[in-house]
Amino acid sequence: MDSQLGFPRAVGDLEFSPSTADCLTLDFGPFEVVHRWKRMQDCNEFVGTRRSKHTIVPYKNNVYIFGGDNGKKMLNDLLVFDCKGASWGRVPQGLNPPAPRYHHSAVVYGDSMFVFGGYTGDIHSNSNLTNKNDLFEYKFGSATWIEWKYSGRAPVPRSAHGAAVHDGKMYIFAGYDGNARLNDMWSISLTRNKDDAPHSWEEVEQGGDCPPTCCNFPVTVARGCMYVFSGQSGAKITNTLFQFDFHTKLWSRISTEHILRGAPPPPARRYGHTMVTHDRHLYVFGGAADNTLPNDLHCYDLDSQSWSVILPSPDSNVPVGRLFHASSVVGNAMYVFGGTVDNNVRSGDMYRFQFSNYPKCTLTEDLGKLLETKMFSDIDFLVGEDETQIPAHSALVAARSQFLRIRVRQAQEVREKLLEKKYGTTEIYKDLPSLEVRLPDANPEAFQLVLNFIYTDRIDPTKKIKDPISNRIVLLMMDVYRLACQFSMLRLEHLCVQYLETTVNHNNVLEALLCAHNLKLAFIKELCMKLIVRESNYNQIVMSQEFETLDQPLMVEIIRRKQLPQIKRAQEALHPFDDPFECRDPYEFRPCKRTPGPLKGTNLEQDLELFLNHVGNDFCDITLVLDGNHIRAHKAILAARCGYFEGLFRSFMPEDGMVRIQIGEMIPSHQSFKSLLRYIYHGDTNMPPEDSLYLFSTPYFFHFTNNRLQAFCKQNLEMNVTCDNVVQILEAADRMQATDMKKYSLGLIVQYFPKVVKMPKTRTLSRDLLIDIMEALADEMSTKMCSDISTHHHLSSPTVHDTS
């Protein structure tokens, strides 16, 4: 769960900042609200005019803008924006700069900027207009341009192409040559040749699933790969993300349609947009999408392979939609400049978008690893007629499915009777026999996919079958849908329907229809029937060999449906509503006139939150002892999320099933440990600042996958220390022997002493802490007094004039 405590500031060094007496803020570096758009100082018309189709590159703490057009003429000026000083300047270019141009490309390597190709000429008089394939180097240190000379074959002149740098080489991909769109790729080494020998281009042999010919698209580089998203194409262009591996020289189409995850869809297809890389994410902004200029920011997570829309902070100044702008990343921010806005107006605006750097939530990865390793599994599902044994963890399956929860309870009752009969007690904590649940009607392969969804909230049926629309996968997903309905997993039902709607086509629909008919899946059967009788599909399908071998009753049903389309089916009359998901019975048909919308049902985090607070009480198998209080929990979830618990349960499991809880030498408060359990079970990072102080050092002792919890604890303390809780923070810091935080708390109390001293909580402080506050006050007064005396002495001393 990626819950955030408001929109936190960027994390840096801890220091005090003056603030109001109502909010005592520990300022971690400069004030930067994450996910915040901010309009920067406009570029003065005397420095550089507004423009579009230009390039922007980062160098040190600046961004450099070159070329473009202002609606009247092409440009070849070079502007610089100082990201720290938020100021503009015009950069000297020396002799022989590139000719004015737009739709060129620019990259940075070492201490130089390299500009390739583009469209040049006099657009006002419509003369000498041509594409170029020249390459210029601008040296930042000497402010000079050099045109590179090269021998041999070279890329054809082009514009609106993509360019990237990897391993000392510049790569050029696709673009427009004046007659056709391209999808070739070339590379050139950017390292200096000996004796200034001419450079040479090399055409890159591309393999795999190459993007179609296209132009006006962005490229970006991350993790040894180049990424291309959407653009203008002569072929059918989609909103697919393509990845080129520089090492293997292979393209792959990153399609998220086959991965059932419930994440938002990719951005709409577009052109003239930008895409940048930061951390593990790709960010897409702007462009023209189906005759609109959207201004939402889309994010692709390279780890989870899912898209999301970034919601800006409430105080954001969000730029209007635009195309042919340029974007670049400096530090933890993206800078967007210029572009064409409504009514074909060129913009001269500069905007900054502040990224967040919080480590990702690893809940699904941790639980997925638990399923993969089968460590601490305590239940065996015997699936299908052959009773294929599939191990799992009772806590997870009980948390995600009401049907399976009942079956687990029944298995527990059977085991308890056996233990009672054999040992005379059920209080056994080690070497317990696994629970057994039989599912004779389930397909083992489909059940394994359902388990993957239970643990990770997503399934990928193409891991073993590479073709996402193969008949076998479609039929397998019908079995998954049937199990989802049987197990009362509404979210998975919805995902399966979305998947089948996109993958059942005229090539596999007859086999899908037969499968749905045999499985008595009325809804899926109706989906197939509608596709078959569609005017554009019908003739091709009924003339196929597959139709000749179709069962006669289905054949008759198809022909009748086609001949009598005006007669409504009886079921439609009985169920006149559009949403099929209000009907949980897979064997009952209800019509669907659905458009894709938010998924129904609960997700992994929501199910585990409910399991922790209510549902999971009957499935606890471990007792945590905190300062004499007993807290029941679930061994598998604790072990999946914490290296400490995994090692403890594997090698040092207490005989009585009791685990004493402390963090280092400190015993956390009951409230803070509840916050820790919320983080462990469902990734929740919301907690009072006092809890954050207790849990700040937790990752060192509990060994989480990353330091996400610590980052949020730090941010929570920074954002939420106030007069109302600074005394509690002081007490907690003293109890934990957190000397730094105690020092900071004392400093804040001294700074706002007149208000803090009146708080009721101050009167309950221990004698030692009251003495600490008095000593801090004395130190502050002493420092101030010394400063005043020094200033007075300096002002009252006679001035000595230099008479030499």
Side-chain angles (χ1 to χ4, degrees):
M1 176 181 289
D2 283 330
S3 57
Q4 293 188 359
L5 307 170
F7 291 88
R9 301 176 181 181
V11 178
D13 296 327
L14 196 64
E15 61 183 13
F16 292 112
S17 72
S19 66
T20 65
D22 292 319
C23 181
L24 312 181
T25 303
L26 292 173
D27 200 1
F28 290 73
F31 181 87
E32 295 295 350
V33 178
V34 304
H35 294 171
R36 178 202 208 182
W37 284 102
K38 181 179 180 181
R39 182 169 178 172
M40 309 304 287
Q41 178 182 336
D42 289 348
C43 183
N44 191 293
E45 292 287 344
F46 294 104
V47 174
T49 184
R50 53 190 66 216
R51 67 193 65 205
S52 68
K53 307 169 191 172
H54 51 286
T55 54
I56 182 171
V57 297
Y59 179 69
K60 296 186 176 178
N61 291 314
N62 305 317
V63 291
Y64 290 80
I65 293 97
F66 175 76
D69 86 87
N70 61 8
K72 297 180 180 179
K73 64 178 182 178
M74 297 182 186
L75 308 169
N76 69 339
D77 54 345
L78 183 60
L79 311 179
V80 61
F81 180 77
D82 181 345
C83 298
K84 280 192 171 182
S87 60
W88 285 95
R90 182 183 287 270
V91 181
Q93 300 195 69
L95 302 175
N96 304 317
R101 63 190 63 206
Y102 65 68
H103 278 328
H104 52 287
S105 61
V107 298
V108 167
Y109 178 71
D111 293 317
S112 297
M113 174 177 68
F114 294 85
V115 172
F116 174 80
Y119 196 54
T120 185
D122 188 345
I123 59 175
H124 186 66
S125 63
N126 198 30
S127 62
N128 302 320
L129 296 175
T130 183
N131 285 308
K132 303 288 285 185
N133 66 346
D134 47 6
L135 178 62
F136 287 84
E137 177 185 4
Y138 178 78
K139 296 185 175 182
F140 291 109
S142 59
T144 56
W145 284 100
I146 299 173
E147 182 174 4
W148 278 35
K149 305 298 180 183
Y150 35 81
S151 59
R153 295 176 63 227
V156 299
R158 67 191 65 202
S159 58
H161 53 281
V165 170
H166 176 72
D167 197 22
K169 291 183 177 181
M170 181 179 188
Y171 288 80
I172 301 298
F173 175 69
Y176 182 67
D177 68 359
N179 295 307
R181 298 179 179 93
L182 312 166
N183 69 344
D184 57 340
M185 185 185 297
W186 295 76
S187 70
I188 188 170
S189 174
L190 298 180
T191 57
R192 182 67 58 189
N193 286 342
K194 293 182 179 179
D195 303 323
D196 289 330
H199 296 263
S200 59
W201 285 94
E202 178 183 359
E203 185 167 9
V204 179
E205 293 186 8
Q206 307 170 74
D209 195 353
C210 186
T213 56
C214 55
C215 63
N216 286 321
F217 59 91
V219 302
T220 191
V221 174
R223 300 181 177 181
C225 294
M226 179 171 68
Y227 293 87
V228 172
F229 176 74
S230 204
Q232 287 177 302
S233 174
K236 180 183 178 182
I237 188 69
T238 66
N239 54 351
T240 301
L241 181 66
F242 289 89
Q243 171 188 285
F244 178 76
D245 189 312
F246 287 109
H247 177 67
T248 63
K249 303 295 188 292
L250 293 177
W251 283 100
S252 57
R253 180 192 299 260
I254 302 179
S255 172
T256 56
E257 293 175 355
H258 64 279
I259 301 178
L260 305 181
R261 67 178 77 254
R269 61 182 185 178
R270 61 191 63 207
Y271 68 91
H273 50 296
T274 59
M275 181 167 63
V276 300
T277 304
H278 179 70
D279 193 23
R280 64 182 186 274
H281 299 120
L282 311 180
Y283 293 89
V284 172
F285 176 73
D290 296 328
N291 299 318
T292 64
L293 295 177
N295 68 340
D296 44 4
L297 181 64
H298 295 265
C299 173
Y300 182 77
D301 190 318
L302 293 169
D303 289 337
S304 66
Q305 292 187 311
S306 60
W307 287 97
S308 61
V309 176
I310 303 296
L311 297 178
S313 66
D315 58 344
S316 282
N317 188 351
V318 182
V320 298
R322 62 195 62 214
L323 77 161
F324 301 140
H325 51 289
S327 301
S328 188
V329 174
V330 175
N332 292 326
M334 174 177 67
Y335 291 83
V336 176
F337 176 70
T340 302
V341 295
D342 279 339
N343 299 319
N344 210 29
V345 174
R346 270 57 171 182
S347 167
D349 305 335
M350 173 71 85
Y351 286 87
R352 182 182 67 187
F353 179 80
Q354 187 69 33
F355 296 120
S356 62
N357 273 336
Y358 294 108
K360 66 178 181 179
C361 178
T362 62
L363 179 64
T364 57
E365 286 87 346
D366 293 340
L367 297 181
K369 183 180 178 182
L370 180 71
L371 175 63
E372 182 181 347
T373 62
K374 301 178 177 58
M375 188 179 295
F376 306 115
S377 60
D378 60 353
I379 186 169
D380 289 327
F381 287 96
L382 306 177
V383 185
E385 295 179 357
D386 297 333
E387 293 196 342
T388 302
Q389 182 176 326
I390 300 179
H393 303 83
S394 58
L396 270 301
V397 296
R400 302 301 314 269
S401 165
Q402 183 179 3
F403 174 88
L404 293 177
R405 191 181 309 146
I406 294 172
R407 299 299 300 273
V408 172
R409 279 203 188 101
Q410 293 170 348
Q412 285 177 332
E413 292 170 2
V414 171
R415 185 173 67 180
E416 286 173 1
K417 289 178 181 178
L418 291 174
L419 292 175
E420 185 72 37
K421 184 177 180 179
K422 186 174 182 179
Y423 300 105
T425 179
T426 61
E427 298 298 319
I428 298 175
Y429 298 99
K430 298 187 73 174
D431 303 322
L432 274 173
S434 292
L435 302 171
E436 287 189 349
V437 173
R438 284 174 169 78
L439 300 172
D441 298 330
N443 177 334
E445 192 173 9
F447 180 73
Q448 187 66 60
L449 288 176
V450 172
L451 271 187
N452 288 337
F453 180 82
I454 284 174
Y455 283 71
T456 67
D457 240 11
R458 70 180 194 180
I459 56 178
D460 184 358
T462 65
K463 276 191 173 181
K464 295 182 179 179
I465 310 170
K466 297 303 180 184
D467 183 1
I469 58 173
S470 73
N471 289 9
R472 186 185 163 198
I473 290 185
V474 172
L475 301 183
L476 179 62
M477 289 309 301
M478 288 190 187
D479 266 318
V480 173
Y481 172 67
R482 185 172 63 87
L483 290 178
C485 297
Q486 180 183 349
F487 296 166
S488 302
M489 298 174 66
L490 183 57
R491 188 179 182 87
L492 183 55
E493 289 178 49
H494 197 159
L495 283 168
C496 289
V497 170
Q498 285 186 347
Y499 176 82
L500 291 170
E501 284 179 333
T502 58
T503 53
V504 173
N505 55 46
H506 66 275
N507 292 320
N508 58 29
V509 66
L510 290 176
E511 194 169 356
L513 174 67
L514 180 61
C515 180
H517 177 74
N518 292 335
L519 293 175
K520 296 182 173 60
L521 300 177
F523 174 73
I524 304 300
K525 179 180 176 180
E526 179 62 18
L527 185 152
C528 295
M529 292 292 287
K530 286 183 175 181
L531 190 147
I532 292 170
V533 300
R534 191 178 298 162
E535 197 67 39
S536 58
N537 298 331
Y538 182 74
N539 288 338
Q540 182 181 357
I541 292 173
V542 298
M543 296 300 290
S544 66
Q545 292 182 352
E546 291 82 0
F547 187 78
E548 295 177 9
T549 60
L550 190 64
D551 289 356
Q552 186 177 4
L554 285 175
M555 192 181 296
V556 172
E557 191 174 348
I558 290 171
I559 295 172
R560 286 177 176 172
R561 173 68 72 89
K562 181 63 177 177
Q563 294 300 319
L564 302 171
Q566 72 277 14
I567 299 178
K568 289 188 176 182
R569 299 185 63 208
Q571 290 101 324
E572 292 184 358
L574 289 173
H575 304 285
F577 56 82
D578 295 335
D579 190 351
F581 303 108
E582 292 187 20
C583 169
R584 300 297 304 284
D585 188 348
Y587 310 113
E588 180 181 357
F589 168 75
R590 295 193 179 186
C592 177
K593 299 176 183 177
R594 184 178 57 83
T595 55
L599 283 174
K600 297 197 173 185
T602 50
N603 61 22
L604 176 65
E605 290 87 353
Q606 292 166 333
D607 285 339
L608 287 176
E609 181 179 6
L610 183 65
F611 192 70
L612 172 65
N613 295 330
H614 304 289
V615 180
N617 294 335
D618 294 338
F619 304 93
C620 295
D621 55 3
I622 196 75
T623 300
L624 308 177
V625 182
L626 176 64
D627 200 19
N629 296 312
H630 288 189
I631 301 170
R632 299 282 286 158
H634 307 87
K635 185 192 302 183
I637 298 176
L638 295 176
R641 297 282 280 148
C642 304
Y644 166 78
F645 284 117
E646 179 192 329
L648 178 70
F649 298 153
R650 191 174 60 239
S651 306
F652 306 102
M653 180 65 186
E655 293 286 344
D656 59 358
M658 301 278 187
V659 176
R660 276 68 184 172
I661 294 298
Q662 62 185 54
I663 302 174
E665 300 297 322
M666 180 268 303
I667 297 177
S669 69
H670 193 71
Q671 174 184 280
S672 66
F673 189 69
K674 280 188 174 181
S675 294
L676 178 61
L677 284 180
R678 290 197 301 273
Y679 176 78
I680 291 173
Y681 273 71
H682 51 96
D684 187 12
T685 54
N686 284 299
M687 64 186 74
E690 307 89 79
D691 293 2
S692 293
L693 185 59
Y694 276 106
L695 302 182
F696 184 78
S697 59
T698 301
Y700 299 116
F701 300 99
F702 280 75
H703 305 294
F704 296 120
T705 305
N706 61 21
N707 65 342
R708 177 179 175 81
L709 177 62
Q710 189 176 47
F712 274 93
C713 286
K714 197 171 186 180
Q715 169 254 311
N716 191 15
L717 288 168
E718 184 240 340
M719 294 293 288
N720 296 294
V721 179
T722 67
C723 286
D724 295 328
N725 61 27
V726 68
V727 174
Q728 289 94 319
I729 298 292
L730 174 66
E731 286 185 309
D734 181 66
R735 190 160 51 247
M736 292 175 57
Q737 298 180 347
T739 55
D740 285 349
M741 185 55 68
K742 181 178 178 180
K743 180 180 178 182
Y744 298 144
S745 301
L746 287 170
L748 289 170
I749 290 172
V750 168
Q751 187 175 359
Y752 300 100
F753 186 76
K755 184 164 185 174
V756 175
V757 75
K758 298 176 182 178
M759 304 298 294
K761 184 65 179 175
T762 307
R763 299 178 179 275
T764 65
L765 283 173
S766 67
R767 178 175 179 274
D768 289 341
L769 284 178
L770 288 172
I771 291 175
D772 287 338
I773 293 174
M774 292 175 64
E775 289 179 349
L777 274 170
D779 290 342
E780 175 70 13
M781 293 176 65
S782 175
T783 301
K784 187 175 180 181
M785 187 179 299
C786 291
S787 176
D788 290 344
I789 293 174
S790 175
T791 303
H792 176 75
H793 176 75
H794 174 74
L795 293 175
S796 59
S797 297
T799 303
V800 179
H801 298 282
D802 185 358
T803 57
S804 59

